[in-house]
């Protein structure tokens, strides 16, 4: 048994679910059947869940090393083994655990405009009925209290988007040539080129995979009395029945949901106040220009459109069909 050869370590809501599916189609790569096993997020059992839906998330955590290594048992001889847990970049302790356990592992990072990422993250939880606050700016303002209370990382809308801090720490642990950075917009606009960059980085044949599927597309149901009542039922039932209740209710909540709606410039400016200093740090750390993130967006909202018919919000942490 062995640990993976590469990891997709960041960031949530930046196409990592779709990348996982695309890379699994390459004959020279083997992706774990579980997307987001979260192994490196703890040294042992995960903490008890505090925020809505957190208990279910932590139940899916693959924290025993034997169970984690078993995820890669089906890899064909010679194939590179990989998994995608996009919280590894955010969690500095996870970065150290990866370095200590597998210092030669190659790391892949998809970076997304942090305001857009935060809004997509909030919309994901709002559409699932788990986020009780119907305004993303208000939800971000509550973040510090949620973190102090122990809510799981997916609720950290702002903190996850401070990539400069995270990459500065990562580069103290891993050489830069061991880390591949690209933008989420490249996943959306130039999928074939992006996949070729990843394949070249990993040292496998290019040109064999050219498409990144539309996976985990966020639906944006409107704020209505019906949504409020169903969401309250989801949050109440989550404590006692978990996915037995919340999964079917989530489908009802998201039925007919539109693509994520764009933020106004005023909303964007308010959220940018959380990120401006870190964007400057990111440019210093990477020596790349991210100043476009400080300006109005020509394209905003759900860039990949409405959710494909029949698709649900991805439930990561569980075995995925067609992988492994």
């Amino acid at each position: 048994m062995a640990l993976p050869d590469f990891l997709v370590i960041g960031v949530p809501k930046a196409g990592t679910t779709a990348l996982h599916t695309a890379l699994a189609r390459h004959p020279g790569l083997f992706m774990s059947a579980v997307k987001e096993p979260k192994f490196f997020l703890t040294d042992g059992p995960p903490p008890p869940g505090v925020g809505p839906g957190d208990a279910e998330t932590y139940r899916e955590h693959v924290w025993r090393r034997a169970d984690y290594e078993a995820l890669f048992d089906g890899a064909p001889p010679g194939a590179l083994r990989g998994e995608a847990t996009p919280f590894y970049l955010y969690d500095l302790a996870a970065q150290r655990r990866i370095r200590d356990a597998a210092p030669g592992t190659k790391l892949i990072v998809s970076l997304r405009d942090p305001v857009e990422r935060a809004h997509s993250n909030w919309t994901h939880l709002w559409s699932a009925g788990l986020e009780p606050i119907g305004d993303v700016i208000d939800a971000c303002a509550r973040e510090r209290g949620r973190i102090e209370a122990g809510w799981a990382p997916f609720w950290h809308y702002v903190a996850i988007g401070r990539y400069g801090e995270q990459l500065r720490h990562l580069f103290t642990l891993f050489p830069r040539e061991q880390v591949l950075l690209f933008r989420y917009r490249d996943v959306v606009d130039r999928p074939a080129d992006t996949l070729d960059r990843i394949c070249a980085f990993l040292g496998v044949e290019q040109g064999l995979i050219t498409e990144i599927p539309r996976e985990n597309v966020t639906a944006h149901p409107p704020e209505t009395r019906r949504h409020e009542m169903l969401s309250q039922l989801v949050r109440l039932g989550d404590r006692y029945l978990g996915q037995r209740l919340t999964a079917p209710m989530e489908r009802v909540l998201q039925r007919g949901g539109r693509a994520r709606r764009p933020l106004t410039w005023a909303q964007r400016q308010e959220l940018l106040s959380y990120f401006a200093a870190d964007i400057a740090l990111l440019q210093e750390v990477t020596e790349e220009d991210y100043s476009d993130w400080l300006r109005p967006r020509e394209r905003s909202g759900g860039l990949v459109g409405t959710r494909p018919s029949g698709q649900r919000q991805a439930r990561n942490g569980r075995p995925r069909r067609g992988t492994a």
Side-chain angles (χ1 to χ4, degrees), residues 191-225:
D193 291 344
T194 302
L195 290 169
D196 276 349
R197 284 187 65 194
I198 296 172
C199 290
F201 173 68
L202 296 176
V204 296
E205 186 175 353
Q206 301 176 49
L208 298 185
I209 48 175
T210 59
E211 296 181 354
I212 297 176
R214 294 174 63 208
E215 293 234 355
N216 206 17
V217 178
T218 302
H220 195 160
E223 185 174 6
T224 62
R225 179 61 180 163

Short mmCIF file of all heavy atoms in Angstrom, two decimals, residues 191-225:
data_model
loop_
_atom_site.label_atom_id
_atom_site.label_comp_id
_atom_site.label_asym_id
_atom_site.label_seq_id
_atom_site.Cartn_x
_atom_site.Cartn_y
_atom_site.Cartn_z
N PRO A 191 -10.28 24.35 -21.03
CA PRO A 191 -10.15 23.06 -20.34
C PRO A 191 -9.07 22.15 -20.91
O PRO A 191 -8.32 21.53 -20.15
CB PRO A 191 -11.55 22.43 -20.48
CG PRO A 191 -12.18 23.15 -21.64
CD PRO A 191 -11.63 24.53 -21.61
N ALA A 192 -8.97 22.06 -22.24
CA ALA A 192 -7.96 21.16 -22.83
C ALA A 192 -6.55 21.62 -22.48
O ALA A 192 -5.69 20.80 -22.12
CB ALA A 192 -8.15 21.09 -24.34
N ASP A 193 -6.30 22.92 -22.60
CA ASP A 193 -4.97 23.44 -22.26
C ASP A 193 -4.66 23.23 -20.78
O ASP A 193 -3.52 22.90 -20.41
CB ASP A 193 -4.89 24.94 -22.58
CG ASP A 193 -4.91 25.22 -24.07
OD1 ASP A 193 -4.68 24.28 -24.86
OD2 ASP A 193 -5.16 26.38 -24.45
N THR A 194 -5.66 23.41 -19.93
CA THR A 194 -5.45 23.24 -18.49
C THR A 194 -5.13 21.79 -18.16
O THR A 194 -4.23 21.50 -17.37
CB THR A 194 -6.69 23.71 -17.71
OG1 THR A 194 -6.96 25.08 -18.03
CG2 THR A 194 -6.48 23.58 -16.21
N LEU A 195 -5.87 20.87 -18.78
CA LEU A 195 -5.59 19.46 -18.55
C LEU A 195 -4.20 19.07 -19.06
O LEU A 195 -3.50 18.26 -18.44
CB LEU A 195 -6.67 18.60 -19.20
CG LEU A 195 -8.05 18.68 -18.53
CD1 LEU A 195 -9.10 18.02 -19.40
CD2 LEU A 195 -8.02 18.04 -17.14
N ASP A 196 -3.79 19.64 -20.19
CA ASP A 196 -2.45 19.36 -20.70
C ASP A 196 -1.38 19.90 -19.73
O ASP A 196 -0.34 19.26 -19.54
CB ASP A 196 -2.26 19.99 -22.08
CG ASP A 196 -2.80 19.11 -23.20
OD1 ASP A 196 -3.12 17.92 -22.92
OD2 ASP A 196 -2.89 19.59 -24.35
N ARG A 197 -1.62 21.06 -19.14
CA ARG A 197 -0.68 21.59 -18.15
C ARG A 197 -0.55 20.64 -16.96
O ARG A 197 0.55 20.38 -16.46
CB ARG A 197 -1.15 22.96 -17.64
CG ARG A 197 -0.92 24.12 -18.58
CD ARG A 197 -1.27 25.43 -17.88
NE ARG A 197 -0.37 25.70 -16.75
CZ ARG A 197 -0.62 26.61 -15.82
NH1 ARG A 197 -1.72 27.34 -15.88
NH2 ARG A 197 0.24 26.81 -14.84
N ILE A 198 -1.68 20.12 -16.50
CA ILE A 198 -1.66 19.19 -15.37
C ILE A 198 -0.93 17.91 -15.75
O ILE A 198 -0.09 17.40 -14.99
CB ILE A 198 -3.09 18.89 -14.90
CG1 ILE A 198 -3.75 20.16 -14.36
CG2 ILE A 198 -3.08 17.80 -13.84
CD1 ILE A 198 -5.23 20.00 -14.04
N CYS A 199 -1.22 17.38 -16.93
CA CYS A 199 -0.58 16.14 -17.36
C CYS A 199 0.92 16.33 -17.53
O CYS A 199 1.72 15.46 -17.14
CB CYS A 199 -1.21 15.64 -18.65
SG CYS A 199 -2.90 15.02 -18.44
N ALA A 200 1.33 17.47 -18.09
CA ALA A 200 2.76 17.74 -18.23
C ALA A 200 3.42 17.85 -16.86
O ALA A 200 4.54 17.34 -16.64
CB ALA A 200 2.97 19.03 -19.02
N PHE A 201 2.76 18.48 -15.93
CA PHE A 201 3.27 18.62 -14.57
C PHE A 201 3.44 17.26 -13.91
O PHE A 201 4.43 17.01 -13.21
CB PHE A 201 2.30 19.49 -13.78
CG PHE A 201 2.58 19.60 -12.31
CD1 PHE A 201 3.70 20.27 -11.84
CD2 PHE A 201 1.68 19.07 -11.38
CE1 PHE A 201 3.95 20.38 -10.48
CE2 PHE A 201 1.92 19.19 -10.02
CZ PHE A 201 3.06 19.84 -9.57
N LEU A 202 2.48 16.36 -14.16
CA LEU A 202 2.54 15.03 -13.55
C LEU A 202 3.43 14.07 -14.33
O LEU A 202 3.78 12.99 -13.81
CB LEU A 202 1.12 14.45 -13.43
CG LEU A 202 0.16 15.21 -12.50
CD1 LEU A 202 -1.23 14.58 -12.55
CD2 LEU A 202 0.68 15.23 -11.07
N GLY A 203 3.78 14.43 -15.56
CA GLY A 203 4.65 13.58 -16.36
C GLY A 203 3.94 12.45 -17.06
O GLY A 203 4.54 11.39 -17.31
N VAL A 204 2.64 12.64 -17.39
CA VAL A 204 1.90 11.64 -18.15
C VAL A 204 1.53 12.23 -19.51
O VAL A 204 1.64 13.44 -19.73
CB VAL A 204 0.64 11.18 -17.39
CG1 VAL A 204 1.02 10.48 -16.09
CG2 VAL A 204 -0.32 12.35 -17.13
N GLU A 205 1.11 11.38 -20.40
CA GLU A 205 0.86 11.79 -21.78
C GLU A 205 -0.23 12.86 -21.87
O GLU A 205 -1.28 12.77 -21.24
CB GLU A 205 0.44 10.58 -22.61
CG GLU A 205 0.31 10.88 -24.10
CD GLU A 205 0.00 9.64 -24.93
OE1 GLU A 205 0.04 8.52 -24.36
OE2 GLU A 205 -0.27 9.80 -26.14
N GLN A 206 0.04 13.87 -22.67
CA GLN A 206 -0.92 14.95 -22.89
C GLN A 206 -1.84 14.61 -24.06
O GLN A 206 -1.53 13.75 -24.89
CB GLN A 206 -0.18 16.26 -23.18
CG GLN A 206 0.76 16.69 -22.07
CD GLN A 206 1.55 17.92 -22.44
OE1 GLN A 206 1.00 18.91 -22.90
NE2 GLN A 206 2.87 17.86 -22.24
N GLY A 207 -2.96 15.31 -24.14
CA GLY A 207 -3.87 15.17 -25.27
C GLY A 207 -4.87 14.04 -25.16
O GLY A 207 -5.71 13.88 -26.04
N LEU A 208 -4.80 13.25 -24.08
CA LEU A 208 -5.71 12.11 -23.94
C LEU A 208 -7.03 12.51 -23.29
O LEU A 208 -8.04 11.84 -23.49
CB LEU A 208 -5.05 11.00 -23.13
CG LEU A 208 -3.78 10.39 -23.73
CD1 LEU A 208 -3.30 9.22 -22.86
CD2 LEU A 208 -4.01 9.93 -25.16
N ILE A 209 -7.02 13.55 -22.50
CA ILE A 209 -8.26 14.08 -21.91
C ILE A 209 -8.34 15.56 -22.28
O ILE A 209 -7.37 16.30 -22.14
CB ILE A 209 -8.30 13.88 -20.38
CG1 ILE A 209 -6.99 14.32 -19.72
CG2 ILE A 209 -8.62 12.44 -20.02
CD1 ILE A 209 -7.01 14.26 -18.20
N THR A 210 -9.47 15.95 -22.79
CA THR A 210 -9.61 17.32 -23.31
C THR A 210 -10.81 18.06 -22.75
O THR A 210 -10.94 19.26 -22.99
CB THR A 210 -9.73 17.29 -24.84
OG1 THR A 210 -10.88 16.50 -25.20
CG2 THR A 210 -8.48 16.68 -25.48
N GLU A 211 -11.68 17.38 -22.03
CA GLU A 211 -12.90 18.01 -21.54
C GLU A 211 -12.98 17.90 -20.02
O GLU A 211 -12.61 16.89 -19.44
CB GLU A 211 -14.14 17.37 -22.16
CG GLU A 211 -14.23 17.54 -23.67
CD GLU A 211 -15.49 16.92 -24.24
OE1 GLU A 211 -16.23 16.25 -23.47
OE2 GLU A 211 -15.75 17.09 -25.44
N ILE A 212 -13.47 18.97 -19.41
CA ILE A 212 -13.75 18.99 -17.98
C ILE A 212 -15.26 19.08 -17.83
O ILE A 212 -15.88 20.04 -18.28
CB ILE A 212 -13.06 20.18 -17.30
CG1 ILE A 212 -11.54 20.05 -17.43
CG2 ILE A 212 -13.46 20.27 -15.82
CD1 ILE A 212 -10.75 21.22 -16.87
N PRO A 213 -15.89 18.07 -17.24
CA PRO A 213 -17.35 18.04 -17.20
C PRO A 213 -17.93 19.12 -16.31
O PRO A 213 -17.25 19.66 -15.43
CB PRO A 213 -17.64 16.64 -16.64
CG PRO A 213 -16.44 16.31 -15.82
CD PRO A 213 -15.28 16.92 -16.55
N ARG A 214 -19.19 19.43 -16.53
CA ARG A 214 -19.90 20.38 -15.67
C ARG A 214 -20.41 19.62 -14.46
O ARG A 214 -21.50 19.06 -14.47
CB ARG A 214 -21.05 21.02 -16.44
CG ARG A 214 -20.61 21.92 -17.59
CD ARG A 214 -21.82 22.39 -18.37
NE ARG A 214 -22.69 23.21 -17.54
CZ ARG A 214 -24.01 23.32 -17.71
NH1 ARG A 214 -24.61 22.64 -18.68
NH2 ARG A 214 -24.73 24.09 -16.93
N GLU A 215 -19.59 19.59 -13.42
CA GLU A 215 -19.94 18.87 -12.20
C GLU A 215 -20.06 19.84 -11.04
O GLU A 215 -19.38 20.87 -10.99
CB GLU A 215 -18.87 17.81 -11.88
CG GLU A 215 -18.82 16.68 -12.87
CD GLU A 215 -18.94 15.33 -12.19
OE1 GLU A 215 -18.98 15.27 -10.95
OE2 GLU A 215 -19.00 14.32 -12.91
N ASN A 216 -20.92 19.49 -10.09
CA ASN A 216 -21.09 20.29 -8.87
C ASN A 216 -21.51 21.72 -9.19
O ASN A 216 -21.07 22.68 -8.54
CB ASN A 216 -19.80 20.29 -8.04
CG ASN A 216 -20.06 20.51 -6.56
OD1 ASN A 216 -21.18 20.37 -6.09
ND2 ASN A 216 -19.02 20.88 -5.84
N VAL A 217 -22.36 21.87 -10.20
CA VAL A 217 -22.85 23.20 -10.59
C VAL A 217 -23.84 23.69 -9.53
O VAL A 217 -24.78 22.99 -9.16
CB VAL A 217 -23.54 23.15 -11.97
CG1 VAL A 217 -24.10 24.51 -12.34
CG2 VAL A 217 -22.54 22.66 -13.03
N THR A 218 -23.63 24.89 -9.03
CA THR A 218 -24.43 25.42 -7.94
C THR A 218 -25.74 26.00 -8.45
O THR A 218 -25.74 26.81 -9.37
CB THR A 218 -23.66 26.52 -7.18
OG1 THR A 218 -22.44 25.97 -6.68
CG2 THR A 218 -24.47 27.06 -6.02
N ALA A 219 -26.83 25.58 -7.85
CA ALA A 219 -28.14 26.17 -8.14
C ALA A 219 -28.40 27.28 -7.12
O ALA A 219 -27.92 27.24 -6.00
CB ALA A 219 -29.24 25.12 -8.05
N HIS A 220 -29.16 28.29 -7.53
CA HIS A 220 -29.41 29.45 -6.65
C HIS A 220 -30.91 29.66 -6.51
O HIS A 220 -31.50 30.48 -7.22
CB HIS A 220 -28.74 30.70 -7.22
CG HIS A 220 -28.63 31.81 -6.23
ND1 HIS A 220 -27.74 32.84 -6.39
CD2 HIS A 220 -29.29 32.06 -5.06
CE1 HIS A 220 -27.85 33.68 -5.37
NE2 HIS A 220 -28.79 33.23 -4.56
N PRO A 221 -31.54 28.93 -5.58
CA PRO A 221 -32.97 29.16 -5.38
C PRO A 221 -33.25 30.53 -4.77
O PRO A 221 -32.43 31.04 -4.00
CB PRO A 221 -33.38 28.04 -4.39
CG PRO A 221 -32.13 27.46 -3.88
CD PRO A 221 -30.99 27.90 -4.72
N PRO A 222 -34.36 31.15 -5.12
CA PRO A 222 -34.66 32.48 -4.59
C PRO A 222 -35.03 32.42 -3.11
O PRO A 222 -35.43 31.38 -2.59
CB PRO A 222 -35.86 32.94 -5.44
CG PRO A 222 -36.51 31.66 -5.87
CD PRO A 222 -35.40 30.67 -6.05
N GLU A 223 -34.89 33.56 -2.45
CA GLU A 223 -35.27 33.67 -1.04
C GLU A 223 -36.77 33.87 -0.95
O GLU A 223 -37.30 34.93 -1.23
CB GLU A 223 -34.53 34.83 -0.38
CG GLU A 223 -34.79 34.94 1.12
CD GLU A 223 -33.94 36.01 1.78
OE1 GLU A 223 -33.25 36.74 1.06
OE2 GLU A 223 -33.99 36.11 3.02
N THR A 224 -37.46 32.80 -0.60
CA THR A 224 -38.92 32.83 -0.49
C THR A 224 -39.34 32.25 0.86
O THR A 224 -38.54 31.65 1.57
CB THR A 224 -39.57 32.01 -1.62
OG1 THR A 224 -39.15 30.63 -1.46
CG2 THR A 224 -39.16 32.50 -2.99
N ARG A 225 -40.60 32.43 1.18
CA ARG A 225 -41.12 31.84 2.42
C ARG A 225 -41.01 30.32 2.36
O ARG A 225 -40.69 29.67 3.36
CB ARG A 225 -42.57 32.27 2.62
CG ARG A 225 -43.23 31.70 3.87
CD ARG A 225 -42.53 32.14 5.13
NE ARG A 225 -43.17 31.59 6.32
CZ ARG A 225 -42.60 31.53 7.51
NH1 ARG A 225 -41.36 31.97 7.67
NH2 ARG A 225 -43.25 31.03 8.54
#
